[in-house]
Amino acid sequence: MNFFKAVTTSVPLLEVPAQLWSGLIQNLRNQGAGVRESGAFLLGQKTNSCRVVTRTLPYEQLQADALHDDYVALTAASFAKLWNFCRQEGLSVVADVHTHRFGAGQSLSDRANPMIALTGHIAFIVPRFAQGNVRLQNLGMYVYQGNHRWTAYSGSDVSQFVRLTGDPK
Ligand SMILES: [Zn+2]
C-alpha cells in the first residue's frame, strides 16, 4: 500500500477479482465481435484510497442498442436504470470501461462526455476491441478531474493502480 501512495496520492487503488476481470474482458470481446465498441460499468465499494469491484454491468444489459461501430452511448433512461440498480444492490459505480478499434487513447467525445462526471471517476479504454491477449499495461486509464479534464495513465502505471485479486499466480 505504501508503494502505491509513493506513486501518487490522487489515484485510488482499484481491486478487481481476477476472475471477474477476465470475464469482463471476454464479454467486451464477444459483444464487440471485432467490429464494434462495447463497454461496461464496474460496480462495488469505494473509499478515498481504495475501490473494490464486486460486479460488472455491461452496457448491452442496460440498453440493447448501446453498442455502435465507433462509439458507445447510453440514454438518460439507462442511467436511471443504473442508479436504481446501484441503490437496490448497495453498490457504487467504481469505474467504467469501453473498447476502441485501435489504440487506447481517448476520443474527443470520451474527453468531453465522461460516463460519470464526478472528480476522481476512472475510465478505462481497451484497445483492439479487446481482441487477443489483453493485459493491464495495454489499457488506457483516465481519471476525471472535472471541467472535461482528465489525467491519463498507460503502460506499467495502469498495472500499478489496478490489482487483480485471487489470482493463483
Ligand atoms: Zn471511446
Side-chain angles (χ1 to χ4, degrees), residues 38-99:
S38 56
F41 289 110
L42 281 65
L43 309 180
Q45 310 296 335
K46 59 179 178 182
T47 65
N48 285 338
S49 59
C50 188
R51 302 173 183 212
V52 180
V53 181
T54 54
R55 68 159 294 160
T56 62
L57 186 52
Y59 292 165
E60 72 275 4
Q61 286 183 20
L62 282 169
Q63 184 182 323
D65 65 352
L67 312 182
H68 301 270
D69 290 5
D70 296 310
Y71 66 100
V72 287
L74 296 174
T75 62
S78 297
F79 276 98
K81 267 197 227 175
L82 168 68
W83 302 131
N84 257 331
F85 183 81
C86 285
R87 198 164 37 237
Q88 278 167 13
E89 304 289 323
L91 297 169
S92 299
V93 177
V94 166
D96 70 71
V97 59
H98 74 282
T99 64

Side-chain angles (χ1 to χ4, degrees), residues 2 32 53 95 104 107 119:
N2 287 335
V53 181
S107 68
T119 300

